[in-house]
Structure formats: structure tokens, C-alpha cells
Amino acid sequence: MAQTIKLRRSSTSGAVPTTSSLSLGEVAINTYDGKMYIKKNDGSESIVEVGVNSTIAATTLTGNLSMG
């Protein structure tokens, strides 16, 4: 069964979607802050930021990788 991924975006600093602005499974991207969000429902609806530490991890790994 194919799934359709819907992308919603904002270029406003600090903009975070609300549970009423996203459908379950819809993805939102804030292009100004470089953040991505999904709507979660584990009995109650909430908005979850995806990849919270991705910038820190990428910075830490830069120049420290070696091929074995």
C-alpha cells in the first residue's frame, strides 16, 4: 500500500506547527531554522521535532572520520 507524504513549510524564524495545522503523518519543515516536525498520536496528539541533535552530530563528526 503506497503512502503519500505531505510537506508543509514555513520560512519564519521560530514557527512551529500546531496539532490543528497538521494531519497525522504530515511533515512540516521550517526552512529558516532548519527544523522538521511531525504530528504524533500516542493517545494524545502532539508535535515532535525530528532530528533535534543532527546539527551537533554533523559538526562533531566533521574531519574525524577514518576509513578502516
Side-chain angles (χ1 to χ4, degrees), residues 3-50:
Q3 295 286 330
T4 300
I5 298 175
K6 298 179 186 180
L7 300 176
R8 187 175 299 262
R9 65 183 179 274
S10 171
S11 59
T12 304
S13 177
V16 178
T18 63
T19 55
S20 61
S21 66
L22 290 182
S23 299
L24 192 58
E26 188 175 14
V27 176
I29 300 171
N30 182 315
T31 57
Y32 185 93
D33 297 329
K35 296 181 179 181
M36 194 159 98
Y37 304 90
I38 61 167
K39 182 175 182 176
K40 176 182 173 181
N41 188 336
D42 58 358
S44 66
E45 294 181 340
S46 61
I47 299 296
V48 177
E49 184 179 334
V50 178

Side-chain angles (χ1 to χ4, degrees), residues 48-67:
V48 177
E49 184 179 334
V50 178
V52 176
N53 294 320
S54 61
T55 302
I56 294 169
T59 303
T60 303
L61 293 175
T62 301
N64 295 328
L65 297 177
S66 62
M67 300 300 279

